[in-house]
Amino acid sequence: GERDLLIPLSSSKALMELYQETARHAHIHPGGHHVPVKANDIQHYVQFFKGQLKSIPADTSTASSNSEIDVNTTTNKERHAAIDRTTINEPPDEEHAQAQIDEVSALAQIFPGEFKLLSPSSPIDPDTFDPDDYSEESRNYKHPIQYSIILQPQDDPVTQQQSNLLWPPKNISLRVQYTPNYPDVAPNISLIHDMNYLEFSSNQSDALMNVLRKAMHNEDGMPCVMGLVYAARDFFEGGGLVASTTTGPASAFETADDDNDDARSHDDLADDEKRNSRGTVVLRPCSRKRIEECNAQGLEIATAMLGRAHSDDVGEINGARDAGDVSGFGSGKGGSWKYTIGLVGKPSAGKSTFFNAATAFARQRGESIRYTHNDEHGAGDMAIVTGGAAMAPHPFTTIDPNVGFCLVPAPEGSCPEDDEGPLEDLMKRGLILGSTHGRDSRQRRLIPVCLKDVAGLVPGAYQGRGKGNKFLDDLTDADVLIHVVDASGSSDAEGNKVVNEEGSEESNHPINDLAWVRNELVEWVYFNLASRWDSIVRRGKKKLLGMFSGYKQNQSFVLDVFAAMEKFMLKTQSRDRIFDNLDSWDEGDLHTLVSAFVGVRFPMALALNKCDLPSAASFIKDIKSQLPIHGAHVGVGLSAHEEMKSMRHHVGLALKSSEPSATRPQDIVGEFPNGVWDTLQSAMSLRVPVLVFPVNDMKSYEPLPGMTQFATRDSSLPNKGMISCITCSGGIAPFNWDAQNDIYIPMSNSNHTKPALRDALLMKPGSIVEDVYMGLKWAGAIEGEFVRAEGASEISEKPKLLSKTDVVGRHNRIMRIMTTKRKEWQRK
């Protein structure tokens, strides 16, 4: 020790010289006369012993352990308790690599303050790179992927207040390294921390690793990391740290898992009359009739919240906030919205067909399929251009989720031009309106949205049937759902065909398909909560709040649902402060909460598919007359197959032709169908984003030059085939599309036809002006610090000054932001 007053450092060095050179290892620590036990010091001991062991012949009669401390990859501030090491040199195949990247992207969103990528990655587009975006569209990963997640919730004040009792004194992280065949094969996991053995002992470490092993075993063959994090948190919050100090790792593991009396507080033991023979708090059972009534109450709460969320009166919003009632107003954390629509429905209802029609076959994970047969128009019958989702008339055609960009007509009234009449009238006033992604045949602005067609769903998926929880986990990316329904009644709940196309008395009324889809979602969330009810009751409202974080909604969103349910219960049942009395809840109460959450978290629109079949007309009329029903609020009749054929025809002609769009004859075959676009718009109308239109001038409304990159190179821009579909339908191509050369081009400085209101940003409700500023800054459109902003609601309206904290809405959607540092285009 450098500060050793008992034995001088020089004396220690002299003693070391008496030993053989191969049998000594110098390590000078900054302390005094003591044996150092920090992680950095321990590694010196380990390295020394390993070096000495190399000279000892291996005992081949002794089986090697699967657990080891990984020294070679340990930094000065890491201690690893590694388990289940496997060979990881080989890269994963495409399917496993995609599953791994999907999980990384999801975990980064679920644990934004705790997640850290450790393995190398590189941005796909450095100019638009968002360091918080871990999706495959943003970065290239080097395998094996490795990352860490801090186990202590970084934004949970309850955890911070109780950290001295329940958690170690310093942060501890779970490090994950994927094996080539993960999730089929378990990952390599270890613990990372900077604590000595007095702060976090080997017994405590072993006890925690036992918990993680069991959690990993329970989710064998599935993405498991989120489950590991929550298992670790339950271990600490259940008193596992204290128990493992006194009883050892095995007993501590049993305590954390079974919640034995040793790990319970005195207050918990006082509630023994509410516990079963194992000592756990359980939900009081109730009748099936009460559960059905409670599910209906939850739907009623959700419907009211969705209706209020459509309010755009900023005065009403601010007034409600001042009064403490923020339910339904999106009062949570704002920011840019990467909007995603999920497709659900029973197998073979037409989800994949709908997906192909909506995306013009632009599946992001597909391979080109060549034309195999030319029809009279010159396009192949089997022309799938850039992949597309697989289709077949049997269950489970789609196993892995298909993901692609689609274009959605902006919800009615969300754009300034919606109140100005035809675009021709604005042109007469000298205003040429632009649109980054084009307009449809009704002049509606098209907005890019991610569309996700997930694996087939069957009744009992929440219990693991069919594709089970894999399907349900895929849903958490979605902001709204489109339930694709076979409106002809030609298939049963399993997706098997039961009648011919003419229909028969055996037809399955499609309204029967609506209830069980919602039931799967409700029961999935319900059983996730009910299985941990004892832990939830002991921790209270904060614990219950945290349990909803796995469904990719921030705590403010969930608090809105809590507030709405409290208000409903007080009004209808005279029950006050129900979340302060969780130990009195029964199964019905929890169903009310889950039903309300699912209704707001996953609002549904119906795609009433196969409307061209004779049996569909009466069914569609019957369903529409009963809306809203089973969590569905709107329904649109369509034939996804006919729209897909139309898309395929135009996409095929465009991509096969060598002529540029400007000179190629527009081949319009009959009236272009709009059912898919109408369905997409109706879904977005259930959770309407705030559209903000950033401009460089509040008179001409010309776009920010810094947005040129987005308008010409963004991956969401429609390709040549999709643009052909837009123009052949009577719509308008994206403003920066050069039809002479079939490419996107920037605007020339000498070009006097600069478009007005070209760009639109999708913002979450509750966003403020500062969120818009940050979004533009991340996009590279502006630089420097915020100075001031001005905004307006309508074209030709006099702008008003805005502060950073002003809520964004339709009242100030046209916005100009000024900063301290000017980009090159701002200096001219």
Side-chain angles (χ1 to χ4, degrees), residues 25 27 36 38-54 68-74 78-80 197:
H25 177 89
H27 170 53
K38 289 190 174 181
N40 180 35
D41 304 310
I42 296 301
Q43 295 312 315
H44 284 278
Y45 306 153
V46 174
Q47 290 172 12
F48 172 75
F49 290 133
K50 289 193 71 173
Q52 299 306 306
L53 288 173
K54 288 181 180 179
E68 64 178 0
I69 296 177
D70 187 355
V71 176
N72 295 328
T73 58
T74 302
E78 295 181 347
R79 175 182 180 272
H80 302 281
Y197 284 91

Side-chain angles (χ1 to χ4, degrees), residues 408-688:
V408 180
E412 185 177 352
S414 60
C415 302
E417 63 267 25
D418 292 347
D419 301 324
E420 300 292 332
L423 299 183
E424 292 78 8
D425 293 348
L426 290 174
M427 291 183 64
K428 293 177 182 178
R429 292 159 51 184
L431 205 62
I432 300 176
L433 230 59
S435 179
T436 307
H437 291 75
R439 297 179 182 274
D440 70 356
S441 59
R442 302 174 193 167
Q443 299 186 345
R444 296 179 294 187
R445 182 187 294 265
L446 296 174
I447 299 172
V449 166
C450 183
L451 185 65
K452 191 170 188 179
D453 165 27
V454 294
L457 175 67
V458 296
Y462 72 93
Q463 297 174 323
R465 189 164 178 258
K467 299 304 172 184
N469 287 332
K470 184 180 187 306
F471 168 87
L472 297 166
D473 289 340
D474 287 334
L475 285 183
T476 57
D477 290 331
D479 297 296
V480 295
L481 301 179
I482 292 177
H483 182 184
V484 182
V485 179
D486 179 359
S488 69
S490 58
S491 57
D492 60 19
E494 304 290 337
N496 299 307
K497 193 170 183 179
V498 295
V499 297
N500 57 35
E501 293 186 354
E502 285 72 31
S504 74
E505 293 181 356
E506 300 175 355
S507 295
N508 173 47
H509 197 305
I511 204 167
N512 298 328
D513 298 331
L514 305 185
W516 69 265
V517 170
R518 173 178 161 78
N519 180 67
E520 292 300 318
L521 300 175
V522 170
E523 295 305 310
W524 171 47
V525 179
Y526 172 84
F527 278 100
N528 285 343
L529 297 175
S531 63
R532 296 172 173 85
W533 193 247
D534 179 66
S535 176
I536 291 171
V537 171
R538 284 188 287 108
R539 290 286 318 279
K541 181 177 179 180
K542 288 290 185 180
K543 174 66 174 178
L544 181 59
L545 182 66
M547 291 296 297
F548 285 94
S549 63
Y551 309 104
K552 297 185 181 178
Q553 284 297 321
N554 58 49
Q555 290 189 350
S556 294
F557 180 96
V558 184
L559 282 172
D560 286 351
V561 180
F562 284 13
M565 180 173 170
E566 281 197 322
K567 185 177 181 180
F568 178 88
M569 289 297 194
L570 180 61
K571 180 179 179 180
T572 62
Q573 302 177 25
S574 299
R575 295 173 60 186
D576 192 15
R577 306 182 67 85
I578 57 171
F579 289 95
D580 293 336
N581 301 284
L582 295 176
D583 55 352
S584 66
W585 280 33
D586 65 6
E587 295 172 336
D589 294 324
L590 186 55
H591 271 96
T592 300
L593 173 62
V594 172
S595 177
F597 173 78
V598 169
V600 181
R601 174 64 183 85
F602 301 108
M604 281 192 289
L606 299 179
L608 302 173
N609 194 23
K610 305 181 183 180
C611 71
D612 53 325
L613 299 183
S615 59
S618 60
F619 288 149
I620 292 176
K621 183 179 179 180
D622 191 18
I623 291 173
K624 286 187 174 181
S625 67
Q626 299 187 51
L627 291 173
I629 183 174
H630 299 309
H633 299 266
V634 290
V636 178
L638 74 154
S639 171
H641 179 70
E642 290 301 316
E643 297 204 28
M644 183 195 69
K645 283 173 57 179
S646 181
M647 282 283 186
R648 180 169 57 187
H649 171 74
H650 293 293
V651 169
L653 286 178
L655 296 189
K656 193 175 181 182
S657 174
S658 58
E659 292 186 66
S661 304
T663 58
R664 187 174 65 251
Q666 296 292 304
D667 181 26
I668 301 179
V669 183
E671 183 179 353
F672 197 91
N674 283 289
V676 169
W677 272 338
D678 290 344
T679 304
L680 292 168
Q681 186 193 50
S682 68
M684 181 176 275
S685 298
L686 296 176
R687 290 185 73 182
V688 182

Side-chain angles (χ1 to χ4, degrees), residues 286-295:
C286 62
S287 66
R288 187 66 210 172
K289 181 180 179 181
R290 169 161 167 76
I291 290 177
E292 291 175 355
E293 292 173 348
C294 289
N295 277 329

Side-chain angles (χ1 to χ4, degrees), residues 356 361-363 365-369 384-390:
N356 287 335
F361 302 93
R363 183 188 180 194
R365 300 180 202 160
E367 296 180 356
S368 297
I369 300 178
I384 307 296
V385 180
T386 55

